[in-house]
Every structure is written in C-alpha cells, then in structure tokens.
Amino acid sequence: MTLIEILCPICGATTKTLPRYPRRVCGTCAAKASDESGRVLQFFNTSLGGGFIAYYADSYQTETHPGHICLIDGIRCYADEARFGRIVIAPLTDQPE
C-alpha cells in the first residue's frame, strides 16, 4: 500500500496516510481528541478483525464514550475504524457555526 503525504486538516503538519483517508488528522492532533466537556478520548479496534470503541483516557479503559464524534481544537471530528484495522479521525465536513 502506497502512502501519500498530506497536510493535517487541523494543524497543517505534514503527515502520511493511505489515499482512502485524505482528510485524516495527524497523530499529534488525534491525541488531543476529546468529548464536548474536554475529557480526552482514546480509540481502539475491538478485535483483530476490526470494530470500534472509544474510552475516556482518564478511566484506564473502564469507561466507554458513546459514539464516534469528538473535538480536536474545537473542530468536530469523526473517529472510526480504518479499512484494514487501526483508527482514522477526520474533521466532519459540516461544522456548526
């Protein structure tokens, strides 16, 4: 699989991704993903075959976050499983004003 170089849509840093995910955020921005109250989130695959789950980072994987929506620097994003495993986060195209 060939990676392409893109600019992170949040911070503008150069990052590499698969062509399937041209709006993927960089790792630095992904680490800042939080819920609307500011609690940091962590995202995982549920098995080797994929799946998706979100935890609150301060809960040590005991408290799940319901859903895929997160905020990064005030920008609404969507986290989900990538096609061949791992997690991809990208800004939503419709941002509230």
Side-chain angles (χ1 to χ4, degrees):
M1 290 183 259
T2 303
L3 297 177
I4 60 170
E5 201 167 87
I6 62 167
L7 297 179
C8 173
I10 305 280
C11 72
T14 301
T15 190
K16 292 185 178 186
T17 188
L18 293 171
R20 173 182 291 271
Y21 306 110
R23 293 181 39 81
R24 177 184 212 145
V25 302
C26 69
T28 301
C29 287
K32 296 190 284 184
S34 68
D35 70 0
E36 291 191 5
S37 70
R39 286 182 74 189
V40 177
L41 300 170
Q42 294 177 322
F43 307 102
F44 299 93
N45 292 115
T46 56
S47 72
L48 290 175
F52 173 88
I53 193 164
Y55 291 104
Y56 289 102
D58 60 4
S59 77
Y60 302 100
Q61 298 182 12
T62 60
E63 184 182 358
T64 59
H65 169 70
H68 296 256
I69 302 297
C70 61
L71 292 173
I72 301 173
D73 291 344
I75 297 171
R76 288 174 49 85
C77 297
Y78 191 84
D80 203 5
E81 64 179 308
R83 182 170 182 209
F84 295 110
R86 305 190 84 181
I87 300 295
V88 62
I89 304 173
L92 291 171
T93 52
D94 294 329
Q95 294 290 324
E97 306 227 0

